[in-house]
């Protein structure tokens, strides 16, 4: 008869080392997965913003009317809460508010997870963008910045509007991984 061996399982130290390795691997996978998700959200945001600006500009030209887009508050007045759905509407009186339901052209759902902020017009965040019937920007030009939930500026998106009513995307010109504003300053997500 052979002697019986009682070491058929893991020792507590082997178990703790195995769990520690699994935790480290899971942490690395989670960080990589979050980056993948946020890069996808950034691409989706760019598509949404491009479409938003195109529809607004196209509407102004085709309808030969001043066209405004902004997030609307409960009273249908432009607000500066860019994380709300954004509406495009005809604004014949330049009131920055939706005065007639038939003036509403389209409402875009809120951007993917993350935060959308507009440039500042004076001391406050910009509440609206407008296009004239010739397709040019009405009033001051501006920009929008989208930052992911992680607040990593390297994954942010920045759109710049020029006086001609055209948009361009912020680029990383200095190689630090963060896109720059029209001023050349990097965007900030903090």
């Amino acid at each position: 008869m052979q002697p019986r061996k009682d070491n058929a399982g893991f020792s507590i130290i082997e178990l703790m080392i195995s769990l520690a390795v699994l935790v480290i691997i899971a942490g690395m996978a989670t960080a990589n997965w979050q980056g993948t998700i946020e890069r996808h959200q950034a691409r989706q945001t760019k598509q949404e913003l491009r479409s938003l600006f195109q529809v607004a500009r196209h509407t102004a030209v085709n309808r030969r009317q001043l066209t405004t887009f902004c997030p609307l508050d409960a009273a249908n007045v432009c607000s500066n809460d860019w994380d709300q759905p954004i509406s495009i509407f005809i604004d014949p009186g330049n009131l920055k508010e939706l005065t007639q339901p038939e003036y509403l052209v389209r409402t875009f759902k809120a951007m993917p997870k993350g935060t959308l902020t507009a440039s500042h017009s004076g001391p406050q965040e910009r509440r609206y963008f407008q296009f004239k019937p010739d397709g040019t920007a009405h009033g001051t030009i501006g920009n929008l910045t989208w930052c992911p939930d992680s607040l990593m500026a390297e994954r942010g998106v920045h759109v710049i509007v020029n006086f001609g009513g055209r948009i361009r995307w912020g680029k990383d010109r200095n190689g630090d991984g963060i896109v720059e504003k029209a001023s050349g300053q990097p965007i900030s997500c903090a």
Side-chain angles (χ1 to χ4, degrees):
M1 197 165 198
Q2 290 192 341
R4 190 171 148 204
K5 290 187 177 184
D6 287 333
N7 62 353
F10 290 108
S11 72
I12 191 76
I13 292 181
E14 291 172 327
L15 184 60
M16 288 175 65
I17 290 171
S18 297
L19 284 174
V21 169
L22 285 173
V23 167
I24 291 168
I25 291 171
M28 291 180 353
T30 301
N32 288 338
W33 184 246
Q34 181 181 9
T36 300
I37 290 170
E38 287 182 345
R39 283 187 289 279
H40 173 73
Q41 290 170 341
R43 284 190 302 274
Q44 186 179 359
T45 297
K46 280 179 94 168
Q47 291 171 351
E48 290 284 329
L49 289 173
R50 180 181 292 116
S51 182
L52 175 67
F53 279 95
Q54 286 175 341
V55 169
R57 188 169 189 247
H58 180 79
T59 299
V61 171
N62 282 344
R63 296 199 184 173
R64 309 291 303 153
Q65 293 277 336
L66 182 66
T67 302
T68 300
F69 76 84
C70 64
L72 294 173
D73 63 17
N76 283 335
V77 176
C78 287
S79 79
N80 60 359
D81 185 1
W82 288 92
D83 289 327
Q84 297 300 312
I86 299 169
S87 297
I88 299 171
F89 55 93
I90 304 299
D91 194 1
N94 192 18
L95 300 173
K96 290 110 184 150
E97 67 180 86
L98 179 61
T99 56
Q100 302 290 327
E102 62 269 12
Y103 289 162
L104 181 65
V105 174
R106 186 167 171 193
T107 299
F108 283 77
K109 64 183 180 352
M111 294 298 137
K113 285 188 172 192
T115 303
L116 189 63
T117 55
S119 57
H120 284 71
S121 298
Q124 294 185 340
E125 187 175 335
R126 184 178 193 86
R127 297 182 308 123
Y128 60 88
F129 287 87
Q130 293 179 308
F131 291 96
K132 296 188 275 190
D134 64 1
T136 59
H138 180 71
T140 59
I141 58 174
N143 54 67
L144 289 167
T145 302
W146 175 84
C147 290
D149 286 339
S150 69
L151 300 179
M152 293 184 71
E154 300 85 11
R155 298 180 186 149
V157 171
H158 188 73
V159 62
I160 303 161
V161 185
N162 68 21
F163 283 113
R166 299 198 183 272
I167 65 169
R168 68 181 172 91
W169 301 105
K171 300 225 183 279
D172 175 20
R173 299 197 188 283
N174 63 4
D176 67 354
I178 302 172
V179 298
E180 285 97 28
K181 303 176 186 177
S183 65
Q185 297 297 314
I187 63 169
S188 173
C189 290

